[in-house]
Amino acid sequence: MTSPSSASNTPAAATAVPDAAAGGLRARLFNPAARQKLLAFASLLVLMVFFSFANSNFLEVDNLVSILQSTAVNGVLAIACTFVIITAGIDLSVGTLMTFCAVMTGVVLTNMGMPIYLGIAAAIFFGALCGWASGMVIAKLKVPPFIATLGMMMLLKGLSLVISGTRPIYFNDTPGFSMISQDSFIGDLIPALPIPNAVLILFLVAIGASVLLNKTVFGRYTFALGSNEEALRLSGVNVDYWKVMVYSVGGAICGIAGLLIASRLNSAQPALGQGYELDAIAAVVIGGTSLSGGAGTILGTIIGAFIMSVLTNGLRIMSVAQEWQTVVTGVIIILAVYMDILRRRKQ
């Protein structure tokens, strides 16, 4: 009679473990979320190859740095949108919230003459505060996210113009402020890689957001809100609290985007911001986050942000008119949403 220990050493038992491991690896590599990220990354490579052949200036260092700079701002905004969209919500105010945070930074640094660290803190604080306000309107007053954030978008646009007196606020008296976005810490260490600090900040925010989304209770409840909010409520979780937290975190991340764009322009432009939310939402959906909620990754969002930046830059460098660039962006948003619908049907 064969003992259990000797049975485990048979060839069939020995091959079962590698087969199971291989099956698990295939499942991870070819699940719908992974396929979407691979497809998005392949699309990014195709775009870069196409524009590099279409215009030789595309691969010049200055142009690539410009793409990285624009991706930094749009990528941070897209990360903020990712949290909200995973909960099956939407935030149309991220662009004007970014501008409002930049204006408040200008007020603190230029008008009040405070140190840089207080200006940075002000941007993040006011971003979180506005996100908290949006979350309260949605969670407590039961206003649909689309309407609540649309109202917040208009409110913040008006406040930015009122507080700034409809004039840009310049940071000429705060010379170190431009270092946040424009200087290159990596370039100082490795001269061959003049990657702007804004891109470094983007990846630091992405890493932090990914850890928050995948390794914490906050992240688990974020996914649960989008998957089945009523089931979460019936399990005894304070759904309203976590919903407000999601919008607050998103708002704080928008504050970081406000710092990046203000540092890049060396000014707070109160009329800037509206329209950024479309690129951010498009980047999120292209990256595989479902508008129906319950699914999404930060890595996919970053890839989507690079796709939007490369596409915009490539069309501009090919001298495509601005109005046609807007048309292309609109088509991409429609296609991204349609692909999301197809993914949901397959699941």
Side-chain angles (χ1 to χ4, degrees):
M1 182 175 180
T2 305
S3 66
S5 59
S6 62
S8 64
N9 294 324
T10 62
T15 58
V17 173
D19 288 345
L25 180 61
R26 284 195 297 269
R28 288 194 297 271
L29 289 177
F30 296 103
N31 65 68
R35 284 202 305 269
Q36 175 62 24
K37 286 196 286 287
L38 289 173
L39 179 61
F41 186 69
S43 301
L44 175 61
L45 293 179
V46 169
L47 282 174
M48 293 193 68
V49 170
F50 171 77
F51 286 125
S52 63
F53 279 106
N55 194 307
S56 59
N57 296 326
F58 180 79
L59 292 179
E60 289 187 356
V61 174
D62 289 344
N63 189 59
L64 293 177
V65 169
S66 176
I67 291 174
L68 291 174
Q69 283 277 24
S70 60
T71 304
V73 174
N74 190 43
V76 172
L77 285 181
I79 291 171
C81 286
T82 301
F83 284 97
V84 173
I85 292 176
I86 287 176
T87 67
I90 196 73
D91 193 346
L92 299 179
S93 67
V94 292
T96 52
L97 177 52
M98 172 189 72
T99 300
F100 178 72
C101 292
V103 168
M104 295 310 299
T105 300
V107 170
V108 170
L109 294 182
T110 302
N111 297 358
M112 300 174 64
M114 295 291 181
I116 289 181
Y117 69 88
L118 287 180
I120 295 172
I124 297 173
F125 169 77
F126 282 106
L129 180 63
C130 293
W132 174 85
S134 293
M136 289 294 289
V137 171
I138 293 166
K140 297 298 184 182
L141 301 183
K142 308 303 179 185
V143 177
F146 182 90
I147 301 300
T149 57
L150 178 63
M152 183 61 71
M153 178 181 74
M154 302 305 296
L155 186 152
L156 293 174
K157 181 179 180 181
L159 283 178
S160 297
L161 292 169
V162 169
I163 293 173
S164 65
T166 70
R167 294 186 300 274
I169 302 175
Y170 294 97
F171 296 96
N172 296 330
D173 296 330
T174 315
F177 186 71
S178 62
M179 295 173 59
I180 295 174
S181 183
Q182 297 183 36
D183 282 16
S184 177
F185 174 76
I186 296 176
D188 292 339
L189 299 176
I190 309 175
L193 294 175
I195 299 174
N197 287 340
V199 180
L200 179 61
I201 293 172
L202 166 64
F203 285 110
L204 290 176
V205 172
I207 292 170
S210 184
V211 171
L212 187 62
L213 194 59
N214 297 299
K215 302 295 183 181
T216 67
V217 174
F218 173 86
R220 289 197 295 272
Y221 286 157
T222 299
F223 281 109
L225 281 169
S227 298
N228 195 328
E229 182 179 327
E230 188 59 27
L232 190 64
R233 179 180 286 107
L234 293 175
S235 67
V237 175
N238 188 340
V239 170
D240 291 348
Y241 169 79
W242 288 105
K243 192 175 290 187
V244 172
M245 284 294 294
V246 168
Y247 280 87
S248 299
V249 169
I253 296 174
C254 288
I256 297 174
L259 287 171
L260 293 180
I261 196 165
S263 175
R264 179 184 176 186
L265 301 175
N266 204 34
S267 64
Q269 302 286 338
L272 190 67
Q274 195 164 348
Y276 276 77
E277 67 280 349
L278 299 180
D279 287 345
I281 293 171
V284 174
V285 178
I286 290 171
T289 299
S290 174
L291 288 172
S292 301
T297 63
I298 300 299
L299 175 59
T301 293
I302 297 300
I303 295 173
F306 272 103
I307 287 175
M308 294 301 297
S309 296
V310 167
L311 182 64
T312 301
N313 180 274
L315 293 175
R316 185 180 298 124
I317 207 170
M318 290 177 64
S319 301
V320 175
Q322 178 64 45
E323 54 270 24
W324 282 107
Q325 295 180 33
T326 305
V327 169
V328 171
T329 301
V331 170
I332 287 176
I333 292 174
I334 293 172
L335 289 176
V337 173
Y338 179 65
M339 292 298 294
D340 176 52
I341 293 172
L342 291 180
R343 287 198 306 270
R344 279 289 174 176
R345 287 176 181 173
K346 290 180 181 179
Q347 294 174 5

